Amino acid sequence: HFSSRSTMTLSSSAFNALFKSSSRISWKSTGKLQQTLAGSIEKSGVALHSGKVSTVKVRPHLAGGGRCFEFQSHFIPASIDHVEESPLCTTLSKDGYRVRTVEHLLSALEATGVDNCRIEVVSLDAGDRDVEVPILDGSASEWVEAIEGAGLKVAKDACGNSLEKMAPYLDEPVHVWRNNSFVVAFPSSRVHISCGIDFPHVPSIGCQWFSSSIEYNSVYKREIAPSRTFCIYEEVEKMRSSGLIKGGSLENALVCSADKGWLNPPLRFDEEPCRHKVLDLIGDLSLFARCGSQGLPVGHVVAYKSGHALHAGFLRCLL
């Protein structure tokens, strides 16, 4: 129905029926309207894995449009439906075209409340069928700063109506695991994430935990977004010989040696590696979003030694 303020609302039952989520999820109103960017964003830089330069242009989008990538005039929705398993990053694929390493950008968009946007990624090679989002400094801070610079506004659909923002609430515990890694989530009245990592062979990292409620744009900007990606120095050559981290450097990643410790200190936080895993997790969970809804499930999500593939497996349990 339409209110006097031209806001279109969709009942929880209608939203649940429309998106056919599992019985473990109920879609409920957040009490907010969907948002989009008030202006446009453009960032260029080197990609972490391919080493190629790419440019990302993020533009406003209609309410209900959600977040969608555009590459070589092909559109790939930022949805779990289009996730293709790939090593050390999250890749979206459709009709033979791929956009890789989307997790940091999507993490920033989800956490700052950019519910609807078009994300054009441009490669220097017009013949490429896959492209990678630039790594920037290895964190999400530059994306958050760019979003704040552009500003947000209430999104409107093609008829000029604003739309209510829905969120997926967990109704029962859910878990996935692989070997000694797991993601488990429990019903809660708010979004809370706890993350653990364990690198017993790298004493400077060791076992770390970080836990926080995800208050949109406040805790995230201060405590999570600045955390940079990291790698183990002794594994660098193996990864490069596999065609990975060709664009990695001491300027866009933290590097830790099992013997010598951190090669490019100082860290921004004592448990920066673990916080970066939370950053990645938020980006991956954002892929549960539908038509401008919140992607992050409302619940307490606990992840231990998890990675992108396990995050995708967790979301598929909610479909």
Side-chain angles (χ1 to χ4, degrees):
H1 68 275
F2 293 88
S3 74
S4 60
R5 299 179 65 183
S6 296
T7 298
M8 192 167 74
T9 61
L10 194 61
S11 70
S12 295
S13 58
F15 204 91
N16 280 290
L18 184 61
F19 293 106
K20 297 182 175 65
S21 298
S22 75
S23 60
R24 297 165 170 170
I25 286 288
S26 293
W27 291 94
K28 301 177 184 178
S29 173
T30 63
K32 301 175 182 178
L33 298 177
Q34 291 185 20
Q35 299 183 114
T36 188
L37 291 167
S40 295
I41 292 169
E42 182 171 329
K43 286 277 186 184
S44 297
V46 174
L48 176 61
H49 294 300
S50 69
K52 295 181 178 180
V53 173
S54 62
T55 298
V56 172
K57 303 174 183 178
V58 190
R59 299 186 176 94
H61 197 19
L62 295 173
R67 294 182 285 258
C68 186
F69 285 87
E70 179 183 354
F71 174 54
Q72 306 287 36
S73 299
H74 286 75
F75 293 92
I76 309 175
S79 165
I80 183 60
D81 300 330
H82 298 287
V83 171
E84 176 181 286
E85 189 161 341
S86 58
L88 300 182
C89 71
T90 296
T91 298
L92 298 173
S93 173
K94 186 181 180 187
D95 300 330
Y97 288 85
R98 294 175 180 83
V99 181
R100 304 181 188 274
T101 319
V102 298
E103 57 270 20
H104 298 175
L105 171 56
L106 289 178
S107 182
L109 292 169
E110 174 78 8
T112 56
V114 183
D115 309 309
N116 305 280
C117 61
R118 289 177 58 171
I119 309 161
E120 182 184 4
V121 190
V122 181
S123 170
L124 291 180
D125 187 345
D128 282 346
R129 293 181 70 88
D130 63 82
V131 71
E132 190 175 351
V133 174
I135 191 65
L136 303 179
D137 76 341
S139 77
S141 283
E142 290 189 43
W143 292 119
V144 171
E145 291 167 6
I147 292 165
E148 289 185 336
L152 300 180
K153 66 179 181 180
V154 172
K156 300 293 181 67
D157 66 13
C159 297
N161 302 303
S162 55
L163 297 180
E164 195 171 16
K165 181 175 179 177
M166 308 293 283
Y169 279 71
L170 281 168
D171 290 331
E172 61 184 67
V174 181
H175 69 276
V176 294
W177 73 91
R178 182 176 299 175
N179 300 322
N180 62 344
S181 305
F182 65 80
V183 179
V184 61
F186 306 93
S188 175
S189 60
R190 58 181 180 172
V191 179
H192 194 105
I193 292 179
S194 299
C195 186
I197 60 174
D198 190 19
F199 289 81
H201 60 295
V202 187
S204 293
I205 300 178
C207 183
Q208 301 181 1
W209 281 91
F210 180 76
S211 183
S212 176
S213 293
I214 307 302
E215 300 295 340
Y216 277 67
N217 203 27
S218 54
V219 170
Y220 180 86
K221 176 186 175 182
R222 185 177 65 253
E223 304 288 342
I224 298 169
S227 303
R228 295 161 291 177
T229 193
F230 67 98
C231 69
I232 310 305
Y233 174 74
E234 287 78 8
E235 298 174 0
V236 166
E237 286 309 315
K238 180 181 178 181
M239 288 189 285
R240 284 194 167 151
S241 65
S242 300
L244 300 170
I245 66 166
K246 294 178 180 178
S249 72
L250 295 175
E251 281 70 52
N252 58 31
L254 289 168
V255 182
C256 192
S257 167
D259 298 325
K260 301 176 182 177
W262 294 105
L263 302 186
N264 53 341
L267 271 64
R268 295 173 178 170
F269 307 98
D270 289 340
E271 66 286 84
E272 187 170 354
C274 192
R275 292 180 188 230
H276 184 79
K277 290 291 188 179
V278 174
L279 187 160
D280 280 346
L281 178 59
I282 292 169
D284 290 344
L285 296 185
S286 78
L287 294 166
F288 199 66
R290 294 286 185 271
C291 298
S293 75
Q294 178 174 309
L296 274 176
V298 179
H300 187 173
V301 180
V302 183
Y304 178 67
K305 297 177 68 173
S306 63
H308 301 295
L310 201 59
H311 300 163
F314 169 77
L315 289 185
R316 291 188 178 107
C317 285
L318 305 181
L319 293 174

